[in-house]
Amino acid sequence: MLRTHTCGELRESNCNEQVTLCGWVQRSRDKGGLMWTDLRDRYGITQLSFEEGSTPAEVLETARKLGREFVVKATGTVVERYSKNDNIPTGGIEIKVESLEILNGSKVPPFIIEDDTDGGEELRMKYRYLDLRRNEVRSKLQLRSKLAMAVRNYLAEQDFIEVETPVLIKSTPEGARDFVVPSRMNQGEFYALPQSPQTFKQLLMVSGFDRYFQIVKCFRDEDLRADRQPEFTQIDCEMSFVNQEDILNTFEGMTRHMFSAVRGVELGDFPHMTYADAMRKYGNDKPDIRFGMEFVELNELAQNKGFSIFDQAELVVGICAEGCAEYTRKQLDALTDFVKRPQIGAKGLVYVKCNADGTFKSSVDKFYSEEDLKAWADKAGAKAGDLILVLSGTANETRKQMSELRLHMGKELGLRDKNTFQPLWVIDFPLLEWDEETERFHAMHHPFTSPKAEDMALLDTDPGKVRANAYDLVINGVEIGGGSIRIHDRATQQLMFKHLGFTEEEAKAQFGFLMDAFEYGAPPHGGIAFGFDRLCAMFGGSDSIRDYIAFPKNTSGRDVMIDSPSTIDEAQLKELGINLR
Ligand code: ASP
């Protein structure tokens, strides 16, 4: 080792020891006769001190040459500081330097490498290796490492085997666009990068591995948002001889372990809610149940009273915002503007104030009597002092809009505390989803998900009604993981492909290998995958997964540091048999 200690290690108990430290120059202060330099490494900061008269002249001369981010090796004696710095663990001591070696110089960095930096996002991404020197950034990746370790410990303990699956594969149908890689040896043919290892993990079950996991990169060529990256990481798992309940229990256990090992949080219950209930009560398949504000359907009470907008609506639905009856005109207008934003698309917002004196005031007083409004309030469980907000229209759209309004109100009322974690299993997802654009049914999860046995008969008569053995783990309104019990026989898998509009030949060409495997003793199996980047972000209390990825891509899918994607030269193209013109 070039050093005896790290820059975060020394304390007053080390006084008088001879030590050697290595690190980066954070900054220097030169007061003429006295000079101090903060030396930084991943473990902390230690102050070096130099003094005219007592420090050897050539050491002082070298010290005066140090610039920000120079890499140095300093040897000296640990001494107690005159004025201590209580903000850092090494603040009681400094090193009286006796010899100093510059291991490497540094150009002036393009931004300040401290917690508070002057560097903008784009600049920091271009010099990500410097950005990663900052505590704040590095600590996020340390959290990621800890979380991965907790996952591995738990799953190894439960007899899971970690298996790597290939990266150059053929298309997997998770519903997104594939990234493709041209094959030089098979010109005109392409590999696809896996959207997930789905078919491979199922094949490992056919192979008798029984319990598989992998912390694995997956690739989806989608338009990017703050919480999406073209390459992202999943904790991918599969188990044999299990039913849905077994999987939910196993991964409730894993989630509990992660929270307790990494955050010191003991999670409460993991309630189960059907997809149908989630949509009806919260208008959302990943409801944030840290707070109530459940939907109340008001059709029966609000229709046929002369208010044509409600009369024509498929759904009239309200939520009760506790203690908001005093909202001002301005606040109510802001809420109306919020739901009318094009992203939400409501036409208007009706309110009912349940006044403290027991009277009611609404924006539709013309059509409804006090008794009418009282009946709404009773149904909504609203007390004096509460505010009821009502939307109407076609059922699906109105539920979506109300879900946005509910989340907005939850935030406004401080009901979405970042340090409270409320898990929820959403179960019984529909097997199929109608796609207006292609006028076809798509698999809501993926084509390998098994329908519920009791709904099988509906496949021919009312396919949209068939429920799947599929589940999502939601925490605080964020989808953390999802999976299903799989189909494990050829006939059902073939039937599923037929319903998804595949011809027999197409199904065979794409997934023949899986259906063949099902004919050689495939065990019943099921699994789940967790979005690892998103989990990290949730543990770190952040909305963006990008912070938790060492070298992320920007929203145009570019890595601005290595400048990728980029063109390749003619010779490479020729070798691949690709002609761009
Ligand atoms: N492969 C699925 C996904 O990536 C997860 C699963 O069904 O296990 O969404």
Side-chain angles (χ1 to χ4, degrees):
M1 293 279 192
L2 298 189
R3 63 187 176 204
T4 57
H5 295 81
T6 70
C7 296
E9 207 176 336
L10 297 166
R11 301 286 182 274
E12 274 148 282
S13 57
N14 299 98
C15 280
N16 303 319
E17 283 176 30
Q18 254 266 329
V19 298
T20 301
L21 301 185
C22 292
W24 287 262
V25 172
Q26 175 97 359
R27 69 163 88 113
S28 293
R29 274 151 299 148
D30 194 346
K31 301 265 176 203
L34 280 172
M35 182 179 158
W36 295 276
T37 293
D38 285 343
L39 196 64
R40 182 196 70 235
D41 65 12
R42 157 188 154 191
Y43 307 92
I45 285 183
T46 299
Q47 178 165 294
L48 309 179
S49 80
F50 308 88
E51 190 177 4
E52 240 159 59
S54 62
T55 305
E58 74 281 5
V59 171
L60 207 52
E61 197 183 316
T62 309
R64 293 217 152 99
K65 286 192 206 137
L66 297 180
R68 274 186 186 264
E69 302 309 314
F70 274 45
V71 185
V72 303
K73 175 177 160 190
T75 300
T77 310
V78 183
V79 298
E80 197 174 338
R81 277 205 218 176
Y82 289 117
S83 55
K84 302 202 159 111
N85 178 353
D86 293 334
N87 299 323
I88 56 171
T90 62
I93 56 102
E94 62 188 10
I95 313 297
K96 225 165 147 333
V97 179
E98 286 133 26
S99 80
L100 183 66
E101 187 186 339
I102 296 178
L103 299 175
N104 213 341
S106 171
K107 289 211 242 177
V108 176
F111 51 87
I112 296 175
I113 300 177
E114 288 179 17
D115 288 356
D116 265 333
T117 178
D118 54 351
E121 170 90 6
E122 190 79 7
L123 192 62
R124 285 189 291 111
M125 288 304 144
K126 183 163 161 52
Y127 296 93
R128 181 66 165 168
Y129 48 89
L130 296 180
D131 195 31
L132 287 167
R133 281 187 194 165
R134 296 167 56 225
N135 283 324
E136 204 191 274
V137 184
R138 191 201 53 249
S139 67
K140 291 187 168 133
L141 288 158
Q142 280 177 300
L143 174 76
R144 185 181 174 108
S145 161
K146 252 176 119 174
L147 205 53
M149 208 71 84
V151 166
R152 287 203 164 90
N153 287 341
Y154 177 84
L155 292 175
E157 188 76 19
Q158 304 283 322
D159 281 337
F160 281 77
I161 305 177
E162 187 166 12
V163 184
E164 286 168 276
T165 51
V167 172
L168 295 176
I169 65 164
K170 93 182 188 178
S171 181
T172 46
E174 312 292 330
R177 221 173 280 118
D178 284 324
F179 280 102
V180 293
V181 179
S183 166
R184 178 186 58 80
M185 287 192 285
N186 306 275
Q187 297 219 342
E189 295 188 315
F190 297 82
Y191 300 100
L193 303 183
Q195 293 186 34
S196 88
Q198 185 61 35
T199 51
F200 291 98
K201 66 174 172 174
Q202 291 192 240
L203 291 171
L204 288 169
M205 294 303 106
V206 179
S207 306
F209 275 54
D210 199 62
R211 294 179 168 208
Y212 141 94
F213 89 100
Q214 184 180 190
I215 298 183
V216 61
K217 272 287 174 76
C218 301
F219 307 85
R220 298 183 191 178
D221 189 3
E222 295 173 292
D223 292 336
L224 306 176
R225 300 193 304 252
D227 60 345
R228 284 229 182 113
Q229 283 278 307
E231 51 178 303
F232 59 96
T233 304
Q234 283 190 346
I235 309 168
D236 193 46
C237 309
E238 198 77 4
M239 302 171 84
S240 290
F241 303 117
V242 286
N243 57 31
Q244 174 166 311
E245 220 37 43
D246 300 318
I247 296 198
L248 302 194
N249 287 336
T250 304
F251 292 97
E252 172 177 329
M254 185 183 90
T255 309
R256 284 184 188 285
H257 177 74
M258 285 189 293
F259 271 89
S260 111
V262 179
R263 285 254 345 197
V265 168
E266 302 307 323
L267 291 176
D269 283 349
F270 280 56
H272 296 186
M273 186 184 294
T274 64
Y275 170 87
D277 277 349
M279 296 310 287
R280 202 167 42 78
K281 292 184 185 165
Y282 302 99
N284 197 321
D285 64 1
K286 41 177 190 296
D288 183 348
I289 58 161
R290 276 174 296 183
F291 64 106
M293 244 189 247
E294 278 182 27
F295 292 8
V296 243
E297 296 184 6
L298 296 170
N299 290 42
E300 267 178 35
L301 298 176
Q303 288 181 325
N304 304 317
K305 302 272 181 179
F307 183 38
S308 66
I309 293 186
F310 279 3
D311 289 348
Q312 285 155 20
E314 188 184 350
L315 179 71
V316 181
V317 65
I319 52 172
C320 169
E322 246 176 76
C324 295
E326 303 283 313
Y327 264 34
T328 59
R329 178 83 254 161
K330 204 169 143 204
Q331 282 173 300
L332 291 166
D333 285 347
L335 290 181
T336 307
D337 290 344
F338 174 81
V339 295
K340 280 168 115 177
R341 291 185 318 167
Q343 308 94 295
I344 299 187
K347 300 237 159 49
L349 176 67
V350 166
Y351 69 83
V352 181
K353 289 179 165 184
C354 309
N355 295 325
D357 62 4
T359 61
F360 296 92
K361 166 91 195 90
S362 86
S363 50
V364 285
D365 281 344
K366 227 167 62 192
F367 304 101
Y368 299 97
S369 67
E370 287 265 320
E371 287 86 84
D372 290 334
L373 297 177
K374 177 161 188 324
W376 295 17
D378 288 346
K379 179 137 195 216
K383 314 173 298 307
D386 294 349
L387 174 72
I388 305 172
L389 298 167
V390 185
L391 292 172
S392 67
T394 54
N396 286 347
E397 276 180 6
T398 308
R399 288 199 172 104
K400 256 189 221 142
Q401 294 161 358
M402 190 51 111
S403 168
E404 295 292 336
L405 180 60
R406 174 180 173 272
L407 291 172
H408 178 76
M409 289 307 294
K411 193 164 164 203
E412 232 173 60
L413 299 176
L415 303 173
R416 302 178 70 191
D417 172 19
K418 232 172 26 187
N419 293 312
T420 305
F421 297 97
Q422 178 58 65
L424 170 73
W425 286 110
V426 179
I427 58 172
D428 297 355
F429 274 82
L431 182 72
L432 303 167
E433 188 176 32
W434 183 252
D435 185 48
E436 293 291 347
E437 223 171 89
T438 52
E439 299 200 320
R440 261 175 42 177
F441 277 111
H442 281 291
M444 190 144 182
H445 188 49
H446 53 53
F448 315 113
T449 297
S450 86
K452 281 198 181 294
E454 61 268 37
D455 289 0
M456 276 302 271
L458 289 170
L459 254 183
D460 287 319
T461 53
D462 196 353
K465 283 249 152 56
V466 178
R467 291 165 307 156
N469 287 314
Y471 33 78
D472 275 357
L473 178 63
V474 175
I475 301 180
N476 294 358
V478 178
E479 183 196 325
I480 288 297
S484 59
I485 297 295
R486 326 296 184 189
I487 295 167
H488 65 280
D489 68 284
R490 181 170 195 125
T492 313
Q493 190 63 69
Q494 230 152 2
L495 184 69
M496 185 66 188
F497 283 130
K498 191 179 122 215
H499 280 283
L500 294 171
F502 285 72
T503 64
E504 217 166 293
E505 295 72 53
E506 281 169 344
K508 199 157 178 237
Q510 273 199 59
F511 301 111
F513 64 95
L514 186 69
M515 290 191 289
D516 288 348
F518 284 173
E519 292 187 300
Y520 291 94
H525 61 284
I528 192 164
F530 289 81
F532 186 57
D533 309 288
R534 214 170 279 179
L535 253 178
C536 294
M538 169 169 286
F539 269 70
S542 155
D543 291 329
S544 165
I545 64 170
R546 222 171 332 157
D547 297 355
Y548 294 83
I549 295 173
F551 300 103
K553 307 220 173 0
N554 71 11
T555 44
S556 326
R558 297 201 73 83
D559 181 325
V560 293
M561 180 182 71
I562 61 173
D563 192 19
S564 155
S566 56
T567 52
I568 56 175
D569 65 35
E570 274 303 323
Q572 267 177 304
L573 283 171
K574 205 165 156 216
E575 231 174 22
L576 293 166
I578 293 177
N579 188 347
L580 288 183
R581 275 166 292 277

